[in-house]
């Protein structure tokens, strides 16, 4: 959410933190505060990069993107549509409208593929429990896990809080909840 105050921070931080060899975003500096220049040259850098290889650009929590990132998405996604660039934008709907929400809705209207994620299935919940706990969950763990409604973030928070609070017993490869109340850390 704090990314909204710094122009283009959502997109630039994603590209800088995970910049593949040959794509040096750090050499892209603001030209006298001209934000459109910045978006234009970012597009040129991406186009040059994908002449020799494909690129995946992932923005998680794209609903929090700043206004300039929203504008960049409106400009760069269509401009690079014939290039080997795959944009993966993850967002959730929030009650207030924003330029980022509007940009993503606009892109969806322009024919980009949308994938709506629903809650995890019971099998996926059990698998996530096993991965997080590194043990097979028993019925006590699964009973609590199923109360998370298939929300993977909430489920992971529950499991790590139970583990950190010492309310899980892992023995012989199985995980069991050993206390009935939820830890206060999870409720907070």
């Amino acid at each position: 959410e704090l990314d909204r105050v710094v122009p283009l921070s959502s997109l630039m931080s994603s590209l800088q933190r995970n910049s593949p060899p040959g794509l040096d975003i750090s050499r892209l500096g603001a030209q006298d505060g001209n934000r459109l220049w910045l978006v234009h040259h970012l597009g040129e850098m991406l186009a040059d990069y994908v002449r020799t290889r494909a690129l995946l650009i992932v923005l998680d929590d794209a609903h929090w993107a700043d206004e300039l990132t929203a504008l960049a998405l409106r400009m760069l996604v269509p401009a690079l549509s014939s290039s080997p660039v795959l944009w993966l934008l993850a967002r959730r709907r929030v009650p207030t409208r924003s330029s980022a929400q509007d940009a993503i809705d606009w892109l969806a209207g322009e024919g980009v593929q949308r994938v709506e994620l629903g809650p995890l299935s019971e099998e996926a919940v059990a698998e996530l429990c096993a991965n997080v706990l590194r043990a097979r969950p028993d019925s006590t763990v699964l009973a609590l896990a199923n109360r998370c409604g298939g929300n993977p973030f909430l489920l992971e928070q529950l499991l790590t809080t139970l583990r950190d609070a010492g309310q899980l017993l892992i023995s012989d490869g199985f995980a069991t909840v050993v206390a009935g109340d939820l830890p206060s850390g999870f409720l907070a």
Side-chain angles (χ1 to χ4, degrees):
E1 188 172 1
L2 295 176
D3 285 348
R4 285 183 162 175
V5 297
V6 180
L8 208 57
S9 65
S10 303
L11 184 55
M12 293 296 284
S13 64
S14 176
L15 291 170
Q16 287 171 338
R17 266 186 263 140
N18 304 303
S19 187
L23 182 61
D24 185 12
I25 299 299
S26 65
R27 63 185 175 95
L28 184 65
Q31 181 69 26
D32 298 327
N34 186 336
R35 294 173 177 175
L36 290 178
W37 179 93
L38 189 62
V39 172
H40 173 74
H41 284 284
L42 175 59
E44 286 181 345
M45 289 178 74
L46 293 174
D48 286 343
Y49 179 82
V50 298
R51 283 192 180 105
T52 58
R53 64 202 80 115
L55 179 64
L56 169 65
I57 300 175
V58 179
L59 286 179
D60 193 12
D61 291 327
H63 54 278
W64 293 124
D66 60 275
E67 289 184 14
L68 191 56
T69 295
L71 176 64
L73 291 173
R74 284 181 184 249
M75 294 171 62
L76 297 177
V77 172
L80 296 169
S81 64
S82 62
S83 301
V85 178
L86 177 62
W87 298 83
L88 179 59
L89 310 175
R91 66 117 181 231
R92 62 182 167 88
R93 295 218 178 255
V94 292
T96 57
R97 297 300 310 159
S98 69
S99 56
Q101 294 263 21
D102 292 341
I104 296 168
D105 287 341
W106 178 81
L107 288 168
E110 293 296 305
V112 299
Q113 183 178 359
R114 292 176 54 125
V115 177
E116 300 257 348
L117 299 179
L120 296 175
S121 67
E122 287 186 24
E123 296 81 23
V125 166
E127 186 176 335
L128 183 56
C129 289
N131 288 338
V132 170
L133 300 175
R134 293 193 168 98
R136 289 184 46 199
D138 74 358
S139 61
T140 62
V141 175
L142 292 176
L144 278 177
N146 287 329
R147 292 176 58 192
C148 292
N151 181 320
F153 174 78
L154 186 60
L155 177 55
E156 183 179 11
Q157 293 299 307
L158 171 68
L159 296 172
T160 55
T161 305
L162 285 169
R163 183 184 60 216
D164 294 347
Q167 291 183 247
L168 280 173
L169 174 65
I170 298 178
S171 177
D172 296 326
F174 285 90
T176 303
V177 176
V178 293
D181 296 332
L182 291 175
S184 60
F186 176 71
L187 297 175

